[in-house]
Amino acid sequence: MSESDSGESTSSLSSFISRSSSSSSSRLNGNMLLKDLEMLKQVYMLADKISSIDKVLARKRMKVAFFGRTSNGKSAVINAMLHERILPSAMGHTTSCFCQVQANGDDEPEHVRIEEEEQQLDLSSLNELASAHSPRALKPRTLLYVNIPKSRCSLLDYDVVLMDTPGVDVTAQLDDCLDRYCMDADVFILVLNAESTISRVERQFFKDVSSKLSRPNLFILNNRWDVASNQEPEMEQQVKDQHMERCLKLLIEDLRVYSDEEQAKKRIYHISALEALQLRNGCKTNPNPQTQERYLEFQRFEADFANCLAESALKTKFEHHLISAQEVLTQLQTTLLKPLATKVNQLMKENVDRRRDLYVEMRDSRKEIQERTEELQMRFHEICELTIDIANRVLKEQINRIIPSAVQSFSQPFHPHLPWQIRNYQRHLSGHLDNLLTGQIQERVSMPLQRKLCELETSFHAQPVNENIHWHLIHRVDCQSLMGDFHPDLRFRFSYGTAALWHFLRGRLSLPSNYSQNRKLLNGHKESSSATPLIHQSNLQMIASLVKSDGCFGTVLLSGLAARSVGWVTMLVLGGLVASLYLYELLSWTPAAQERSFKNQYSRHLQQQLRAGVQQTASGFELQMRQQLAKIQNWWIAQAEETSHDLDLRISEVTDEIKSLKELQEKLKKFEDKGNVIAIRLAEFHDLYIKNRS
């Protein structure tokens, strides 16, 4: 599996865990969430381990990384292995940057090149760029490629890359550079100073290496052993035993690279790199026995190192990583793929059940919406009919009962002889009736309808909105406008006068009315009485004109006719009685009587005007109610649409999640198939290259 495949797989699995944790948090308990987080942590650890192994397997060259504190002689060891002084080496902190010594191409001259730069510099500039004592020294985080011909050193002919480091204690900011440049090395060489011991930084670095790479191949060189042995020759063996004990503790207990002490001792050496380089360059002749012993130790190290590269390169590079890869595959199968597949199947079942429940909920919701809509329409019709019924009943009651009593109960000074006072009286009376009738409409019509609205909305809402709670009919009675053509007649009229008798007889007898009094039908024709008149119309008109005339000629004429019929004595007695009644009524025609007459005429005229507008007013009330009911209906339609849209959205989300889960199931199946194929290939590789060579 390549690095891109492993990265893609980790990204897919991580995004799935994130989505499944967020979408199913309401359905999973806390323990399952903790398991998901632990699983995610294992995924990242496995991905990191796979990435580290992949970097090692991807390289075509064997990389050897040299570590140690400053001034431990790392560069001197490399120079001794190269048989010449190439890297800068001196007392104190010398190497300023990372130096990668490697063989160049056949046609390339020896040169140095700074990372991410194309310019090739002469090899002589190495002392200026890589030496901490030079003003042109590169920064510790920089990588410098040192390219020399293979013919110059037989070690480089094995495609070996030697990585020199500036020292793990140079700066605390080198951790990421160490990871980037050295963590993928095949062999690690820890160079210690024989005059000191292993530092905490060196120990921690190799712990990190061991956590990321399974059982790294490690050599430990106790350099400058010539200085340590010359200082106290009698204590040389005790000091060597002390160094050996601490190095064994690092290899066996701390790093767990080796379980056998004898194997671990073979990777610990006590050398002097400077003496080895001097002997090889001919600078030092006639070495003493101690120098020869240290040189032989250095040669043993080179032999073991060469044997590691030449004979065990395949095993060094692949066997441990093969074991780690098999462990990773096992962990992926047991701790990741199978639990994920189980979880995906569970989520798939839950989502399928949830989508089925949502479809059932949508069907029931649509049925309920249809039923409630029909109920709402029926309630609307009932409320509209109730509005018209209440309006007709209240308006007719106002006209027939409320207005006469309200007019008669109105009290204000009345001055019949002053026209402007009569107009003022009429205006105040109209205002009084406006307030009374409007208040009754609000109380007896608007309030019951408002309660009906609230009841209707409560049956569909959780509670009525403020708009319906404070709703009322918009209605204003304007009696003054209705009485615009009202002209009161406050003249005195005798109850038994000729005009009154004429109206009495006309009401009792079947007499034709005049042309101006004929009532028009709806089709425009005049309606006439079907009864046969007792008096001819021409004679009746003459009598009516005499009786209703303002002069006394008609009265005298009629009196003469009556005197001839009943006698003058009877006429005088009757005349006296009539005169007494006339005088009584005339004296009783006070402003109060005139006010009563004004009120009676006002009531009759207002009742006539209001009766004509009862149906129109009731229809106006119904229209207002329909407008308010339309708002409730629009709200209900919006709620129904919102409910349907919400269900559609939830079904769509569940469907998308089911689709994603199906895709994830397919990916998990592919991952499982890939894992099986890789496991088969690893087993074949182990049988072919590892097992047969062991």
Side-chain angles (χ1 to χ4, degrees), residues 520-562:
K520 291 185 178 181
L521 298 174
L522 294 176
N523 57 6
H525 298 286
K526 298 175 184 177
E527 182 183 20
S528 58
S529 175
S530 60
T532 303
L534 298 177
I535 304 175
H536 194 270
Q537 184 174 355
S538 59
N539 297 330
L540 185 63
Q541 289 177 355
M542 180 183 67
I543 296 172
S545 61
L546 290 175
V547 172
K548 293 191 294 182
S549 62
D550 293 335
C552 61
F553 178 74
T555 304
V556 173
L557 179 60
L558 292 176
S559 300
L561 292 175

Side-chain angles (χ1 to χ4, degrees), residues 397-664:
E397 185 178 356
Q398 283 184 343
I399 293 171
N400 298 327
R401 187 176 63 83
I402 303 300
I403 289 178
S405 62
V407 170
Q408 294 300 327
S409 63
F410 180 74
S411 177
Q412 186 172 322
F414 186 78
H415 304 282
H417 302 293
L418 299 175
W420 64 272
Q421 284 285 1
I422 295 177
R423 290 192 296 272
N424 188 48
Y425 183 88
Q426 178 180 337
R427 185 168 58 254
H428 284 84
L429 176 59
S430 298
H432 170 69
L433 292 177
D434 289 347
N435 296 330
L436 178 63
L437 297 179
T438 302
Q440 285 196 346
I441 289 294
Q442 295 299 327
E443 180 180 355
R444 302 181 61 189
V445 179
S446 184
M447 293 299 291
L449 295 179
Q450 179 186 351
R451 286 193 294 271
K452 286 292 182 181
L453 275 178
C454 292
E455 292 175 2
L456 175 63
E457 198 166 15
T458 302
S459 62
F460 287 87
H461 283 254
Q463 58 183 6
V465 297
N466 292 330
E467 181 180 358
N468 290 331
I469 294 177
H470 301 288
W471 177 84
H472 59 83
L473 289 171
I474 300 175
H475 176 69
R476 179 68 182 174
V477 181
D478 191 358
C479 295
Q480 186 65 20
S481 298
L482 294 175
M483 302 298 290
D485 59 345
F486 173 63
H487 302 288
D489 184 8
L490 300 181
R491 293 175 298 176
F492 172 72
R493 295 185 182 277
F494 182 44
S495 301
Y496 299 97
T498 55
L501 292 175
W502 169 253
H503 286 293
F504 175 78
L505 291 174
R506 187 169 175 228
R508 291 292 185 270
L509 299 175
S510 178
L511 300 178
S513 60
N514 57 23
Y515 180 82
S516 60
Q517 292 176 338
N518 286 342
R519 185 165 60 91
K520 291 185 178 181
L521 298 174
L522 294 176
N523 57 6
H525 298 286
K526 298 175 184 177
E527 182 183 20
S528 58
S529 175
S530 60
T532 303
L534 298 177
I535 304 175
H536 194 270
Q537 184 174 355
S538 59
N539 297 330
L540 185 63
Q541 289 177 355
M542 180 183 67
I543 296 172
S545 61
L546 290 175
V547 172
K548 293 191 294 182
S549 62
D550 293 335
C552 61
F553 178 74
T555 304
V556 173
L557 179 60
L558 292 176
S559 300
L561 292 175
R564 291 182 60 183
S565 302
V566 298
W568 288 101
V569 177
T570 305
M571 283 297 299
L572 289 175
V573 174
L574 291 175
L577 292 174
V578 171
S580 300
L581 291 173
Y582 181 85
L583 181 61
Y584 173 76
E585 288 186 2
L586 181 61
L587 294 176
S588 300
W589 189 246
T590 60
Q594 296 179 38
E595 182 180 9
R596 287 192 297 273
S597 177
F598 176 85
K599 288 181 177 181
N600 291 333
Q601 296 177 46
Y602 183 92
S603 297
R604 288 193 298 270
H605 190 83
L606 181 59
Q607 288 173 324
Q608 182 181 1
Q609 295 294 327
L610 290 176
R611 285 192 185 99
V614 168
Q615 292 300 326
Q616 183 178 359
T617 303
S619 298
F621 291 167
E622 181 191 12
L623 179 60
Q624 293 185 50
M625 178 56 67
R626 286 186 180 275
Q627 291 175 350
Q628 196 64 24
L629 291 173
K631 294 180 180 180
I632 299 178
Q633 185 178 19
N634 293 336
W635 174 87
W636 170 248
I637 294 174
Q639 288 294 110
E641 292 178 352
E642 182 179 354
T643 301
S644 300
H645 178 71
D646 180 65
L647 287 173
D648 290 336
L649 183 62
R650 290 164 61 189
I651 291 175
S652 177
E653 290 176 353
V654 174
T655 303
D656 292 341
E657 191 169 353
I658 291 174
K659 182 179 178 181
S660 299
L661 290 172
K662 287 182 179 179
E663 294 176 355
L664 190 56

Side-chain angles (χ1 to χ4, degrees), residues 244-493:
M244 181 66 71
E245 180 183 354
R246 293 179 178 177
C247 292
L248 289 174
K249 183 177 183 297
L250 174 66
L251 293 176
I252 298 175
E253 297 181 10
D254 295 342
L255 304 183
R256 297 181 181 179
V257 176
Y258 301 104
S259 59
D260 184 63
E261 184 175 328
E262 292 300 324
Q263 292 180 350
K265 284 183 178 181
K266 293 179 181 180
R267 292 301 177 94
I268 303 172
Y269 308 88
H270 299 80
I271 65 167
S272 173
L274 182 59
E275 284 184 343
L277 181 60
Q278 290 174 350
L279 290 173
R280 289 179 172 179
N281 290 340
C283 298
K284 192 171 186 179
T285 59
N286 299 322
N288 56 35
Q290 291 80 8
T291 302
Q292 291 180 355
E293 182 181 356
R294 288 189 290 269
Y295 183 61
L296 291 174
E297 182 82 355
F298 186 81
Q299 288 179 328
R300 184 176 71 85
F301 157 69
E302 286 185 314
D304 293 342
F305 177 73
N307 183 63
C308 175
L309 293 179
E311 297 182 1
S312 305
L314 182 62
K315 186 175 181 180
T316 302
K317 189 171 183 180
F318 293 108
E319 182 179 16
H320 296 162
H321 301 316
L322 177 64
I323 296 174
S324 295
Q326 292 173 338
E327 292 175 354
V328 167
L329 286 175
T330 303
Q331 286 183 308
L332 283 174
Q333 290 286 347
T334 57
T335 64
L336 184 62
L337 292 180
K338 289 184 179 179
L340 277 179
T342 303
K343 186 172 183 180
V344 169
N345 293 334
Q346 178 186 354
L347 289 176
M348 176 70 76
K349 183 178 181 303
E350 290 179 0
N351 282 288
V352 170
D353 295 341
R354 188 152 60 104
R355 184 171 63 176
R356 184 182 63 251
D357 295 340
L358 286 174
Y359 278 126
V360 174
E361 184 180 353
M362 173 175 281
R363 183 190 62 200
D364 296 341
S365 175
R366 288 177 177 175
K367 182 179 179 181
E368 182 183 1
I369 289 173
Q370 181 65 26
E371 294 175 353
R372 296 299 297 272
T373 302
E374 294 176 357
E375 179 187 356
L376 189 64
Q377 292 294 337
M378 183 180 66
R379 296 281 295 276
F380 283 3
H381 183 68
E382 292 176 355
I383 292 177
C384 290
E385 290 183 348
L386 179 64
T387 302
I388 295 178
D389 181 65
I390 293 177
N392 285 326
R393 186 174 67 253
V394 172
L395 290 174
K396 289 178 181 179
E397 185 178 356
Q398 283 184 343
I399 293 171
N400 298 327
R401 187 176 63 83
I402 303 300
I403 289 178
S405 62
V407 170
Q408 294 300 327
S409 63
F410 180 74
S411 177
Q412 186 172 322
F414 186 78
H415 304 282
H417 302 293
L418 299 175
W420 64 272
Q421 284 285 1
I422 295 177
R423 290 192 296 272
N424 188 48
Y425 183 88
Q426 178 180 337
R427 185 168 58 254
H428 284 84
L429 176 59
S430 298
H432 170 69
L433 292 177
D434 289 347
N435 296 330
L436 178 63
L437 297 179
T438 302
Q440 285 196 346
I441 289 294
Q442 295 299 327
E443 180 180 355
R444 302 181 61 189
V445 179
S446 184
M447 293 299 291
L449 295 179
Q450 179 186 351
R451 286 193 294 271
K452 286 292 182 181
L453 275 178
C454 292
E455 292 175 2
L456 175 63
E457 198 166 15
T458 302
S459 62
F460 287 87
H461 283 254
Q463 58 183 6
V465 297
N466 292 330
E467 181 180 358
N468 290 331
I469 294 177
H470 301 288
W471 177 84
H472 59 83
L473 289 171
I474 300 175
H475 176 69
R476 179 68 182 174
V477 181
D478 191 358
C479 295
Q480 186 65 20
S481 298
L482 294 175
M483 302 298 290
D485 59 345
F486 173 63
H487 302 288
D489 184 8
L490 300 181
R491 293 175 298 176
F492 172 72
R493 295 185 182 277

